[in-house]
Amino acid sequence: MGIKNWLNTLLLKRVDQSIIEEDVLKYLYKNEEKNKTSNFQSINNELVFSEEQIDKSIQQLIKNQSIVNSNQSLLLEEKGRTTAIKLIRRHRIYEKYLSEKTGFSKSSWHHKAEEMEHALTDEEVNLMSKELGNPQFDPHGDPIPTKDGQLPKLKGITLSKIEHNCTVKVLHIEDEPKRVYKSIIKQGLHIGSIMTINFTSSVYATEGHALNFNKKDLENITVQVLKEEEEIPKGIVRLSLLKKGEKAVITGLSSECRGINRRRLLDLGFVKGSKISINMVSPLSDPTAYLIRETLIALRKEQTDMILIKKINNDAE
């Protein structure tokens, strides 16, 4: 059976108590990564199941030696930790599949993956991973556990810990809680974006866009500080910032532009070195018609945010 054929039926396989048990293990594992303690009340506050269902799951996990109750704190045993990592692998591989092989918006990837992580088998995940080229990171920048259960640590530091002017590269955007994630992506921040930070004027800017983050946003964005000797792109902005009458040359596509959307833009001629200008703007300014390689192509703003350009003088042709 092909991947697309069985994806629609997998959720019917396992809708039972094991789903709650797996969610408990994943919660414990994520708290363990953050050096936080877990107990019944913290799990009950986080998960959407009833107190009775959660208590039943915890007792079963203790019975099968997946977790242990130590001084009112619930701790993972090796068996439970292995199960949690497998669940995280399923989730992140499926998110990668959604980003590369489907047209679903990134705001829906996490929810869909949370459903499918309970239905996918290890064999199915391995086949999916192979089809994707065995990726090391999911579309949010999280490391994907290997087949043998190794989960690399996320590199970089959170934006909230940077206290000096510098240039950084975005490595990871945390997708939980959902409200904070939506707040971040609404501003157009992408994995792989180069961001300049100027504390003197309280400015965060990426590819010509000014950004405004609150404290929680900063804690959910992981970056790598770029050294001065590293080659940092100059004058690179998004196509959405091109104005009528201006000309530009395409420098590439954002790393956030994936799968069928990336292939479509490349097929249409949005490749490095192509010259581009605005031909016509719709009454509501979306979509906009661009002239590229003597062809008129209409794009919406969400698409132009994925295309990187460098403006050129009218006489620099």
Side-chain angles (χ1 to χ4, degrees), residues 161-201:
K161 293 182 179 178
I162 295 182
E163 299 176 342
H164 60 282
N165 295 346
C166 59
T167 301
V168 301
K169 182 178 182 179
V170 179
L171 300 180
H172 171 253
I173 302 175
E174 178 57 49
D175 55 6
E176 294 181 291
K178 190 175 182 179
R179 174 183 54 80
V180 177
Y181 178 64
K182 283 190 171 182
S183 168
I184 294 171
I185 64 174
K186 186 177 181 180
Q187 295 199 58
L189 189 67
H190 305 316
I191 300 295
S193 288
I194 306 298
M195 186 191 307
T196 8
I197 303 172
N198 188 325
F199 283 94
T200 306
S201 54

Side-chain angles (χ1 to χ4, degrees), residues 240-257:
S240 55
L241 294 181
L242 188 68
K243 298 176 182 177
K244 194 166 184 180
E246 294 180 330
K247 296 182 180 181
V249 61
I250 294 174
T251 61
L253 300 180
S254 165
S255 58
E256 192 82 353
C257 184

Side-chain angles (χ1 to χ4, degrees), residues 219-236:
E219 292 172 353
N220 282 26
I221 301 169
T222 303
V223 299
Q224 172 191 356
V225 178
L226 299 181
K227 299 177 182 178
E228 291 184 6
E229 60 266 24
E230 292 186 65
E231 187 176 343
I232 300 173
K234 303 290 184 183
I236 304 300

Side-chain angles (χ1 to χ4, degrees), residues 297-311:
I297 298 174
L299 297 176
R300 296 201 172 277
K301 184 181 182 301
E302 62 185 29
Q303 295 172 298
T304 60
D305 273 345
M306 299 292 181
I307 302 169
L308 305 179
I309 62 168
K310 188 169 187 177
K311 296 182 181 181

